[in-house]
Amino acid sequence: EAISAQLAQVTLGNPRHESVRMGELRDAWSVAQGSIIGYNALRHTETMEEVWAHIKGFEGIYEVSTLGRIRSLDRPQRVRGNGIKLQKGQIMSQWIQGSYMCCDLRRPGIKQKARVHVVVLEAFVCPRPDGMIACHNNGDPTDNRLCNLRWGTHEENAADKIAHGTHLYGESCPK
């Protein structure tokens, strides 16, 4: 909760987030978390260096990057008979569903559709704070780089849509 409060104080002060700089977010994260891990993840997004982190609930199976890519990791797989072979990891395919990039994550007995922007924020920033949603700073729901994402309220997201011209009011609303 302390992490969420610190990040919210920095990132939510301005509905358009024009004055929020990566340094301010990094400082809030460092103070709240007291961890070099969060600092390094945010620092790397400034230079567009790709950093990978485990996906909660799928540790050792999948990782997500600061550029919004998801990859499976190398793992043993049973083959017919008593054999086992090494299944090579790969970049997972993503698709658009309702404007947002999605990916299927699987583990034994479970198949879960994940929205990539939420996975990126949960892996590199913090778990979803109560009442918050994942917002895209530039209004492009397919741009899932960490530097383009933040936790925000529904009201802030609505204000962003108006500012970006992606809102569905009046003539732009499908009938």
Side-chain angles (χ1 to χ4, degrees):
E1 290 183 77
I3 297 168
S4 301
Q6 287 286 339
L7 291 174
Q9 186 177 19
V10 172
T11 60
L12 305 179
N14 180 346
R16 291 176 144 187
H17 305 279
E18 294 167 344
S19 65
V20 175
R21 304 223 186 294
M22 201 54 136
E24 293 172 320
L25 186 58
R26 180 180 56 237
D27 293 343
W29 173 259
S30 296
V31 168
Q33 179 68 13
S35 168
I36 199 69
I37 296 169
Y39 172 84
N40 284 338
L42 292 170
R43 182 175 57 84
H44 289 298
T45 60
E46 292 174 347
T47 60
M48 297 304 292
E49 181 180 335
E50 190 167 31
V51 177
W52 293 90
H54 294 288
I55 298 175
K56 185 178 179 184
F58 295 89
E59 293 87 351
I61 304 172
Y62 297 103
E63 290 182 333
V64 64
S65 81
T66 52
L67 299 182
R69 300 193 310 158
I70 295 178
R71 69 179 177 190
S72 62
L73 300 176
D74 294 349
R75 61 188 177 276
Q77 184 178 34
R78 286 191 177 175
V79 294
R80 291 184 190 176
N82 293 329
I84 294 179
K85 72 173 187 173
L86 181 67
Q87 177 71 36
K88 294 290 283 177
Q90 62 185 1
I91 300 295
M92 303 298 292
S93 62
Q94 299 179 14
W95 71 91
I96 298 175
Q97 183 175 8
S99 301
Y100 298 103
M101 300 303 294
C102 295
C103 183
D104 277 334
L105 302 178
R106 296 180 174 139
R107 62 178 186 233
I110 295 177
K111 176 181 173 184
Q112 177 180 331
K113 179 184 73 175
R115 288 189 169 182
V116 176
H117 58 294
V118 173
V119 173
V120 171
L121 282 172
E122 287 179 340
F124 290 102
V125 179
C126 66
R128 182 193 309 255
D130 290 340
M132 301 290 221
I133 60 172
C135 300
H136 292 83
N137 294 328
N138 67 3
D140 179 0
T142 63
D143 183 356
N144 293 311
R145 294 172 297 139
L146 178 59
C147 62
N148 184 48
L149 301 172
R150 71 177 193 285
W151 293 118
T153 64
H154 287 280
E155 293 80 15
E156 291 168 337
N157 199 35
D160 287 346
K161 287 180 181 183
I162 292 170
H164 299 133
T166 57
H167 65 312
L168 297 177
Y169 297 117
E171 295 177 9
S172 64
C173 186
K175 295 180 170 116

